[in-house]
Amino acid sequence: MEVNASVFFSVGLAAVVVWRMRRFLDLPTRAPQLDRLINFFWVPGIVLYLFALLIHWKTDRLDEIYTLLLLSMVVLVLVRVQEYRPARTLLLAVAPYVLYAVIELLSGALSSDFLREYRGLFSNSKGFAIIWLITFVLIARKQKKHLEIERVQREAEEKERREIAAQNAVLESMVAERTASLTQQTEELQHALEELKTTQAQLIQAEKMASLGELTAGIAHEIQNPLNFVTNFSDVSAELVTELEEEQQRPDRDAALEAELLADLRQNLQKITHHGQRAASIVRGMLEHSRASTGERQATDLNVLADEYLRLAYHGLRAKDKSFNATLNTHFAPDLRKINAVAQDLGRVLLNLFTNAFYAVQKRKEQGQADYAPTVSIATRQLPDGDVEIRVRDNGTGIPEGVRQKIFQPFFTTKPTGEGTGLGLSLSYDIVTKAHAGTLEVESQEGRGTEFIITLPA
C-alpha cells in the first residue's frame, strides 16, 4: 500500500505539471505531435508500480525515479520548443533540479551511508534548486506575458496594416477610376478645343470676308467715278480726233482750230491718265486688303490711309442702303509724320471702326429723330512725345456702360444675331496693341455717341 500511494501521488502531481506545461507552452499549436505523445505521461508510473509488485520491491525511491523520468520528459519537451523564449527560460529553471535529482538518486543507489552523511548538503542543494526553479518559472511567466502583449500588438498592427492595405486598394481603385475619368475628360476637352480652334479660324475668316465684302462694296462705288471719267473723256477725245481729221482734210485748214483741238485732246488724255491711276490705286488697295498680311512694315501716311478707308466704308454702306446719308468730318493734322507700320492691317482696323460708326448712326437714324443728322468724324494729331493719335467719333447710339468693358473680348458683340461675329474689335485691338505696340481705347455715352482713340508709337 505504501508503494501504491507513493506512485499514484507522483502520477497525480505529474498530471498537474503536464497540464500546466501544455497550457504555458501552447503545445497543441506549437508541437501537436509532441502534445499527443505526452498524454501517456502516466505509463512510466504504472509500469514502475507493476514492476515493484512483481518483484516485491519495497523501496521509497520509486517516486524519485518517476519524478526523474517526468523531469526528463519535461526537458525533452522544452528542448523541442526551445525557439520559444519562455521555454528556454524553463529549461534553465529545471536544469539544476534535474541535476540534483540525478545525483541524489545515484548516490542513494550506490551508498546509502554517503547519502545519510551528506544529507544536509543534499537538503541545501535541493532547496537551492527549488528556489532556482520557482524564480525562473516566475521569470518565464513574465516573459510569456510580455510576449503575449507583443503578440497582441503585432496582431493589432497586422490588422491595421491589412485595413490600411484594404483602404489603399480602395483608394487606388478610386484614383484609377478618377484618372480614367480625367483622362477621358481631357481627351474630350482636347477634342472640344480643336473644334473651337477650327470654329474660331472659320469665324475669323468669316469676319475677314465680311470686312472684304464691305470694302468691295465701297470700292465698287468709289471706282465707278474714275471709270465714268475715263469713259466720258475717251468719248470726248474720240470726237476731238474726228474733228481734227476733218479739219486736216479741208483745203483751207485752220491752224488755230487744230491747235485748240490738240490742246483739248492732250488735256483729256491727262484726265484719263489721272482717273485711270485713281482706279488702279483703288484696285491695288482692295488686293492688299484681301491677301494675308505679310507683316512687312513701311512708312505710312495715316492721313491718306484714314481718308481712303473712311470713304470706302461710307460708300460700302450706301451700296447696301441707297437712302443712307451721313456727314463726314475730317480733321487731319498737316504736320503728321509718317509712321513705320503695316498699312493693310491698320486699314482693317480703320475699316472696322468706320463700319461700326456708320452702323451706329444708321441705327440711331432709324429711331426716327427728326432733327438728327448722322455724323462720323476722323481726326489725327501729332502728340508732343512723337506718338500719333487717331480719333474716330460718331454721334450714334453709343455703348451701354455695362458692356463697355467687354467690347474688345473675342466673340462679344452688341449687334443682333447674324449681323456680327464679335471678332472685328477683338482683331483690331490685337493689331493695334500687339502688332504695333499701341493702345486702343473707347469713350462712349449711351444715346450720344462713341469715340475710339488709337495711339501709335512713332
Side-chain angles (χ1 to χ4, degrees):
M1 294 298 295
E2 181 182 354
V3 173
N4 187 11
S6 177
V7 170
F8 281 99
F9 176 78
S10 297
V11 171
L13 180 61
V16 175
V17 172
V18 169
W19 177 71
R20 294 293 299 176
M21 182 178 65
R22 291 175 65 187
R23 289 191 58 188
F24 187 83
L25 299 177
D26 193 17
L27 289 180
T29 303
R30 297 182 184 277
Q33 295 180 352
L34 186 61
D35 179 69
R36 289 192 296 270
L37 184 62
I38 64 175
N39 285 330
F40 299 97
F41 67 92
W42 50 271
V43 174
I46 300 301
V47 171
L48 286 174
Y49 171 70
L50 294 176
F51 180 75
L53 289 178
L54 182 63
I55 64 174
H56 304 288
W57 187 19
K58 298 195 180 282
T59 178
D60 55 356
R61 299 295 179 188
L62 191 61
D63 57 339
E64 295 180 359
I65 295 173
Y66 181 69
T67 300
L68 183 59
L69 291 174
L70 179 64
L71 290 174
S72 300
M73 181 189 68
V74 170
V75 169
L76 290 175
V77 172
L78 294 175
V79 169
R80 287 288 302 274
V81 294
Q82 61 180 327
E83 71 278 358
Y84 186 45
R85 190 166 61 184
R88 294 196 298 270
T89 303
L90 287 179
L91 185 61
L92 184 62
V94 301
Y97 192 85
V98 172
L99 180 62
Y100 161 76
V102 171
I103 294 174
E104 184 182 26
L105 185 61
L106 291 176
S107 298
L110 295 175
S111 173
S112 58
D113 294 336
F114 178 80
L115 186 60
R116 283 193 299 271
E117 182 178 356
Y118 293 99
R119 183 172 297 279
L121 178 61
F122 279 100
S123 298
N124 292 335
S125 299
K126 185 176 182 180
F128 172 78
I130 292 174
I131 293 173
W132 178 275
L133 176 64
I134 294 173
T135 300
F136 276 87
V137 167
L138 295 177
I139 293 175
R141 288 185 62 187
K142 289 183 179 179
Q143 289 178 342
K144 180 178 175 62
K145 290 180 180 179
H146 182 69
L147 290 175
E148 186 65 21
I149 293 174
E150 290 182 350
R151 183 186 65 80
V152 172
Q153 290 178 349
R154 285 196 303 272
E155 289 179 353
E157 292 175 355
E158 183 64 25
K159 181 179 179 181
E160 184 178 357
R161 281 197 295 270
R162 288 196 299 269
E163 291 177 352
I164 292 176
Q167 292 178 357
N168 288 339
V170 173
L171 289 175
E172 288 177 359
S173 176
M174 293 175 63
V175 168
E177 292 178 0
R178 186 60 177 168
T179 301
S181 176
L182 290 176
T183 302
Q184 182 180 358
Q185 292 178 5
T186 301
E187 292 176 354
E188 292 176 354
L189 289 175
Q190 186 67 27
H191 181 67
L193 180 60
E194 292 176 357
E195 290 184 350
L196 182 60
K197 288 182 178 179
T198 302
T199 304
Q200 184 179 14
Q202 293 174 351
L203 287 174
I204 291 174
Q205 183 63 26
E207 178 68 22
K208 289 182 178 179
M209 294 305 295
S211 176
L212 180 61
E214 294 173 353
L215 179 63
T216 303
I219 289 174
H221 190 279
E222 185 75 5
I223 205 173
Q224 190 66 41
N225 290 329
L227 290 178
N228 288 337
F229 279 112
V230 169
T231 302
N232 294 335
F233 283 114
S234 297
D235 292 340
V236 172
S237 298
E239 294 177 358
L240 291 176
V241 169
T242 300
E243 292 181 8
L244 181 60
E245 290 176 347
E246 292 177 352
E247 185 65 26
Q248 288 177 345
Q249 292 175 0
R250 290 178 181 178
D252 52 343
R253 295 169 55 183
D254 189 347
L257 180 58
E258 291 180 1
E260 182 181 353
L261 291 174
L262 289 174
D264 291 340
L265 184 59
R266 183 181 297 107
Q267 184 178 5
N268 288 349
L269 292 176
Q270 290 176 351
K271 290 181 179 181
I272 290 173
T273 301
H274 171 73
H275 291 290
Q277 291 175 349
R278 172 61 180 160
S281 175
I282 294 172
V283 173
R284 185 167 53 252
M286 179 182 66
L287 294 175
E288 289 177 354
H289 184 85
S290 62
R291 70 170 61 99
S293 173
T294 61
E296 182 180 352
R297 295 173 180 267
Q298 57 185 358
T300 303
D301 189 336
L302 293 181
N303 287 340
V304 175
L305 190 69
D307 184 64
E308 180 178 0
Y309 277 92
L310 172 64
R311 302 188 184 284
L312 291 177
Y314 177 62
H315 292 307
L317 183 58
R318 280 183 51 80
K320 297 178 182 178
D321 184 3
K322 299 294 185 181
S323 64
F324 175 75
N325 288 289
T327 301
L328 307 182
N329 292 331
T330 57
H331 305 281
F332 297 130
D335 58 343
L336 193 69
R337 293 196 296 266
K338 292 183 178 181
I339 64 168
N340 195 27
V342 183
Q344 64 192 78
D345 286 349
L346 289 183
R348 289 175 181 170
V349 173
L350 292 172
L351 184 64
N352 272 321
L353 297 183
F354 292 142
T355 302
N356 289 340
F358 288 124
Y359 179 86
V361 297
Q362 184 184 30
K363 289 300 179 184
R364 187 175 176 184
K365 177 68 174 178
E366 292 174 355
Q367 294 176 1
Q369 299 180 14
D371 57 344
Y372 175 67
T375 303
V376 174
S377 303
I378 172 69
T380 59
R381 183 163 67 102
Q382 187 74 48
L383 300 179
D385 58 359
D387 293 348
V388 175
E389 181 183 83
I390 306 173
R391 290 177 176 263
V392 177
R393 181 174 181 80
D394 65 75
N395 62 345
T397 55
I399 303 173
E401 184 176 358
V403 300
R404 201 172 302 160
Q405 302 298 325
K406 304 178 183 179
I407 60 173
F408 295 125
Q409 295 179 4
F411 309 111
F412 179 83
T413 179
T414 58
K415 296 178 181 179
T417 303
E419 294 190 19
T421 62
L423 290 174
L425 288 178
S426 174
L427 293 174
S428 299
Y429 185 83
D430 289 344
I431 291 173
V432 173
T433 60
K434 296 179 181 179
H436 291 83
T439 61
L440 177 57
E441 300 174 349
V442 60
E443 296 177 358
S444 181
Q445 292 182 352
E446 190 172 1
R448 299 288 301 275
T450 302
E451 183 174 33
F452 285 91
I453 305 170
I454 302 174
T455 304
L456 297 171

